[in-house]
Amino acid sequence: MNPIKKYASALAAVALISSMNSCKPKNVGSAVSGDAASKTYVAPGKYDEFYNFVSGGFSGQMSVYGIPSGRLLKVVPIFTVNPENGYGYSEETKPMLNTSHGFIPWDDQHHLDLSQTNGEIDGRWIFANANNTPRVARVDLSTFHTSEIIELPNSGGNHSSPFITENTEYIVAGTRFSVPPDDKNGDVPINTYKQNFKGTISFISVEKNSGAMDIAFQLQCPGVNFDLSHAGKGKSHGWFFFSCYNTEQANTLLEVNASKRDKDFIMAVNWKKAEEYLKAGKGRKQSVKYAHNVYDEKTHTATSEIRTEVIVLDTKELKDICYFIPCPKSPHGCDVDPTGEYIVGSGKLAALIPVFSFDKIQKAIADKAYDGDYDGIPVIKYEAALYGEVKKPGLGPLHTEFDGKGNAITSFFVSSEIVKWNIKDLKVLDRAPTFYSVGHLCIPGGDTKKPNAKYVIAYNKITKDRYLPTGPELAQSAQLYDISGDKMQLLLDFPTIGEPHYAQAVEASVIRDRSVKFFKIEENSNPYVAKGEGATKVVREGSKVHVYMTAIRSHLTPDNIEGIKLGDEVYFHVTNLEQDWDVPHGFAIKGAANAELLIMPGETSTLKWVPDRVGIVPMYCTDFCSALHQEMQGYVRVSPAGSNIPISFSTGTNLPKTDSTAKK
Ligand code: K7E
Ligand code: CUA
């Protein structure tokens, strides 16, 4: 074919797929049966049975729902500043969003994975990826605080992440965009992709007790797009599987140019082998720059350091780490069943679902059943790795979760449905429409060794006619299905925050009793803590003024402050003295160019304020903390730059005596 014809035919193929985007499921009217309401009704005062942690997509946050009610419990800020509670605005939390590019207030958060022990969810942490400026975060599920964020060098768009090994030994981060390595001259023509661009996969170790993350090593791989991944488990523990697309190595119009090959790859990674090479000193130390940010629950303060080295293993030179397995048509989801034997690849443009066998892959490697290599990496023969194909499952398969009873459920974006099929005989058992264009789906524990297959939740991209209209942008949405019987039954729609991608769910009992209720004030080691009202003070250090303030129902101490001058930088270090559950105080001051603080009991938080005019400035508590919450307020007096008004502060008295320079 001449290039123009080839281009045209590829375009036609894409147009066909695009035209399928508007497929609507049939039998819409009969989708919900009469007992759905009772199955999702959680009576007032009763708790939900499951926590559901849902990625926020372009909101950069994670939201937490109760299942089966679909009630929103909390939004946890991870990569995006959150004025609601001061995350990323308070002096203590700003370092969490530091990167090698400086402070970044936003990211695109796609996947979450709960920590596991022996392949089961242990309820300690949940990890999150950042898809724009490559990072991985750890959220502590005793506080629901983001505790740690690590940036990833040699990467561009951390999409296939943060998938976890069965004992949380590692979480991985595979780059979506291949890019020139950070220590190479990146000032190259973009069309030198094939020569200069590399794909990097990071293995981030997680310390057993503290959860502390560290980049253990990186694998330098051919320049393709890594999309999703899952770890082996059970018999395949020690292996990791990544879907890749753009094996065409296109750098422009990927819609067409990365959709040409009949098959792309799933990359199987023997990470135990990589560990051996690492121990044997086969890694190359590479100088790079990446941020590592840690939040300390004792000082209630984050610190950020820039690290300058990673160890890179070259998978072209170091044999037996990586193998490519052909997988039809731009694979997206890459999911491993609870036994660890079956690896499911979902080609976005494929009309079937290939299921690969771990045993067959091992045999293929032993027999060298290869179809040559791709950029130095052996390509296993498709048939040699294949267990079988699910025929005509639907259009546009994306992601698969498992029910632990020998079945898989796959989402289909184009045909807007979820489809249940049997892993052994690869027969389709049931299908249910989604409204509409489902992306990820989630069964509690559905990517672990022990799923709890009561429900599946579908996270949809398009809602069209499902909710009251809200202008051009409609609500994003999740849908809950009962999968306890043979037939999947739609129970509930609930809107989500941001755009939901992957989600995790777990029995509430695994997490709820871990909740920290308040921070012990005697353990507060923030350098600016005031452990009682007697310790409050206002201290001038040149043009910086530090206010050591306390909050308790229902006053701030001090609540009258004078002697602030134009040109000062004022730091309000507010300690919440309460020692009881569910009594946060807020703090805000007029004209502050950031956000409020929301201070948990026993915690200290700091708001920076630069006054911009002379006058009296109100400040107050923002959280309705008691019947006299509206009384929880005070004033700051701002004087001209050259003024000689001394610093003074008080609560409940009018000391100091009336200032002589004040106008009568
Ligand atoms: Cu399918 Cu970013 Cu996991 Cu979304 S990705 S759907
Ligand atoms: Cu404290 Cu309102």
Side-chain angles (χ1 to χ4, degrees):
M1 243 193 281
N2 75 41
I4 293 173
K5 265 198 181 155
K6 211 163 146 191
Y7 178 81
S9 79
L11 263 185
V14 170
L16 174 72
I17 295 293
S18 308
S19 73
M20 295 193 289
N21 285 346
S22 55
C23 273
K24 274 200 183 185
K26 288 166 198 126
N27 66 3
V28 170
S30 61
V32 179
S33 71
D35 62 343
S38 67
K39 286 187 176 170
T40 61
Y41 182 69
V42 178
K46 295 280 186 255
Y47 292 148
D48 276 290
E49 194 183 343
F50 295 92
Y51 282 99
N52 184 202
F53 300 93
V54 183
S55 60
F58 46 68
S59 83
Q61 301 173 333
M62 167 178 85
S63 43
V64 186
Y65 296 83
I67 295 293
S69 72
R71 297 183 295 193
L72 175 65
L73 306 177
K74 190 171 178 65
V75 175
V76 179
I78 300 178
F79 298 110
T80 295
V81 295
N82 190 29
E84 180 188 335
N85 68 358
Y87 179 80
Y89 291 95
S90 72
E91 295 307 300
E92 284 82 1
T93 55
K94 276 178 188 169
M96 288 306 285
L97 300 179
N98 191 38
T99 70
S100 62
H101 305 272
F103 179 84
I104 294 193
W106 170 87
D107 217 298
D108 181 19
Q109 199 281 297
H110 282 219
H111 306 122
L112 298 165
D113 222 2
L114 286 158
S115 58
Q116 297 180 18
T117 303
N118 300 323
E120 291 182 47
I121 294 167
D122 60 26
R124 301 200 290 168
W125 309 298
I126 189 161
F127 296 87
N129 76 315
N131 191 32
N132 180 46
T133 303
R135 284 171 285 175
V136 166
R138 178 172 56 88
V139 174
D140 187 322
L141 292 176
S142 66
T143 56
F144 285 59
H145 281 169
T146 302
S147 294
E148 190 176 5
I149 294 181
I150 196 162
E151 192 184 355
L152 304 159
N154 295 321
S155 301
N158 175 32
H159 193 260
S160 56
S161 179
F163 300 97
I164 223 160
T165 55
E166 66 183 23
N167 286 300
T168 319
E169 294 95 338
Y170 294 106
I171 47 182
V172 297
T175 187
R176 167 186 171 184
F177 296 90
S178 281
V179 287
D182 288 1
D183 64 342
K184 292 271 157 49
N185 175 22
D187 182 16
V188 294
I190 298 169
N191 66 14
T192 62
Y193 186 111
K194 289 186 171 111
Q195 299 93 280
N196 290 320
F197 290 35
K198 296 288 173 200
T200 297
I201 291 186
S202 308
F203 277 75
I204 300 162
S205 60
V206 179
E207 206 282 322
K208 254 192 163 64
N209 299 310
S210 66
M213 298 189 290
D214 192 12
I215 301 177
F217 56 89
Q218 293 191 315
L219 300 178
Q220 189 178 87
C221 301
V224 295
N225 287 39
F226 290 104
D227 206 14
L228 279 139
S229 59
H230 262 102
K233 46 175 95 81
K235 61 158 71 167
S236 55
H237 180 61
W239 288 74
F240 230 108
F241 303 92
F242 293 83
S243 58
C244 347
Y245 64 105
N246 193 22
T247 53
E248 296 85 351
Q249 300 190 310
N251 55 280
T252 181
L253 198 64
L254 265 65
E255 165 181 38
V256 173
N257 295 327
S259 305
K260 286 182 176 161
R261 285 171 64 122
D262 182 47
K263 291 191 176 68
D264 293 279
F265 296 127
I266 284 186
M267 187 172 82
V269 176
N270 182 346
W271 58 259
K272 293 267 185 196
K273 191 82 200 170
E275 278 182 336
E276 284 172 24
Y277 283 127
L278 185 72
K279 273 205 196 104
K282 302 285 186 190
R284 175 175 70 89
K285 282 189 181 160
Q286 187 194 333
S287 53
V288 288
K289 246 178 108 177
Y290 63 100
H292 180 227
N293 313 328
V294 179
Y295 186 78
D296 178 335
E297 292 288 4
K298 292 280 185 279
T299 57
H300 307 288
T301 303
T303 48
S304 176
E305 67 165 345
I306 295 290
R307 294 189 174 175
T308 55
E309 197 176 87
V310 281
I311 299 179
V312 179
L313 299 170
D314 186 338
T315 59
K316 204 166 166 174
E317 279 167 20
L318 302 169
K319 300 296 171 199
D320 311 329
I321 301 178
C322 291
Y323 302 89
F324 282 130
I325 303 162
C327 185
K329 289 279 167 205
S330 304
H332 187 56
C334 180
D335 299 290
V336 180
D337 90 307
T339 67
E341 164 63 7
Y342 301 103
I343 298 113
V344 179
S346 297
K348 298 187 289 277
L349 307 179
L352 54 83
I353 303 173
V355 179
F356 300 99
S357 151
F358 180 72
D359 288 344
K360 286 188 76 176
I361 293 168
Q362 294 309 300
K363 183 161 188 304
I365 292 169
D367 297 349
K368 295 204 169 359
Y370 301 146
D371 247 344
D373 71 289
Y374 178 91
D375 206 357
I377 307 293
V379 178
I380 295 173
K381 285 194 161 74
Y382 179 66
E383 287 73 19
L386 187 73
Y387 171 71
E389 294 169 342
V390 185
K391 305 284 187 196
K392 299 213 170 122
L395 297 174
L398 289 189
H399 299 285
T400 300
E401 291 264 289
F402 301 92
D403 72 357
K405 296 182 254 177
N407 305 311
I409 300 180
T410 300
S411 60
F412 290 84
F413 179 84
V414 175
S415 53
S416 280
E417 59 187 333
I418 52 173
V419 176
K420 180 172 167 179
W421 49 276
N422 182 273
I423 303 170
K424 274 272 144 61
D425 66 17
L426 307 172
K427 292 260 162 32
V428 170
L429 301 171
D430 189 26
R431 52 182 74 236
T434 60
F435 306 91
Y436 304 91
S437 298
V438 56
H440 276 276
L441 73 180
C442 162
I443 290 172
D447 71 342
T448 71
K449 279 183 177 169
K450 282 256 175 71
N452 181 341
K454 199 163 175 182
Y455 303 109
V456 66
I457 308 151
Y459 301 92
N460 304 330
K461 301 296 180 190
I462 295 165
T463 52
K464 292 288 181 201
D465 48 9
R466 303 295 285 184
Y467 297 103
L468 283 173
T470 51
E473 192 197 12
L474 299 178
Q476 308 268 348
S477 180
Q479 291 189 292
L480 179 74
Y481 297 77
D482 181 344
I483 54 167
S484 57
D486 285 344
K487 290 279 164 199
M488 300 184 285
Q489 185 197 359
L490 176 60
L491 300 178
L492 181 74
D493 284 15
F494 60 98
T496 59
I497 307 276
E499 186 193 10
H501 293 259
Y502 197 34
Q504 294 265 284
V506 66
E507 294 85 348
S509 58
V510 176
I511 289 177
R512 60 177 267 206
D513 299 331
R514 296 174 171 272
S515 240
V516 166
K517 297 186 168 67
F518 58 87
F519 300 104
K520 291 188 182 130
I521 188 84
E522 65 270 19
E523 289 177 5
N524 182 326
S525 51
N526 186 293
Y528 298 100
V529 65
K531 293 195 179 179
E533 291 182 3
T536 59
K537 59 187 173 183
V538 179
V539 178
R540 173 178 289 285
E541 286 170 7
S543 61
K544 288 197 165 80
V545 178
H546 292 278
V547 180
Y548 296 68
M549 182 180 274
T550 60
I552 195 163
R553 283 163 290 181
S554 294
H555 57 275
L556 300 167
T557 306
D559 66 1
N560 280 209
I561 300 169
E562 303 198 4
I564 306 296
K565 292 183 271 191
L566 267 191
D568 285 347
E569 268 177 14
V570 184
Y571 294 87
F572 293 96
H573 309 287
V574 187
T575 301
N576 180 345
L577 294 178
E578 308 281 355
Q579 291 288 274
D580 201 355
W581 200 7
D582 201 22
V583 200
H585 290 288
F587 179 79
I589 183 160
K590 184 184 170 189
N594 45 19
E596 72 154 345
L597 300 174
L598 194 64
I599 313 131
M600 298 305 123
E603 187 185 28
T604 302
S605 277
T606 300
L607 188 92
K608 177 182 169 182
W609 171 58
V610 181
D612 71 330
R613 63 194 70 173
V614 169
I616 298 296
V617 186
M619 57 184 177
Y620 70 106
C621 168
T622 51
D623 189 312
F624 212 112
C625 49
S626 76
L628 295 176
H629 153 79
Q630 279 301 84
E631 280 70 15
M632 199 163 174
Q633 65 167 53
Y635 291 106
V636 178
R637 174 183 173 188
V638 180
S639 304
S643 147
N644 57 4
I645 309 283
I647 291 283
S648 69
F649 54 95
S650 59
T651 307
T653 61
N654 262 330
L655 290 174
K657 297 267 189 292
T658 310
D659 190 324
S660 59
T661 61
K663 284 189 184 141
K664 290 275 150 65

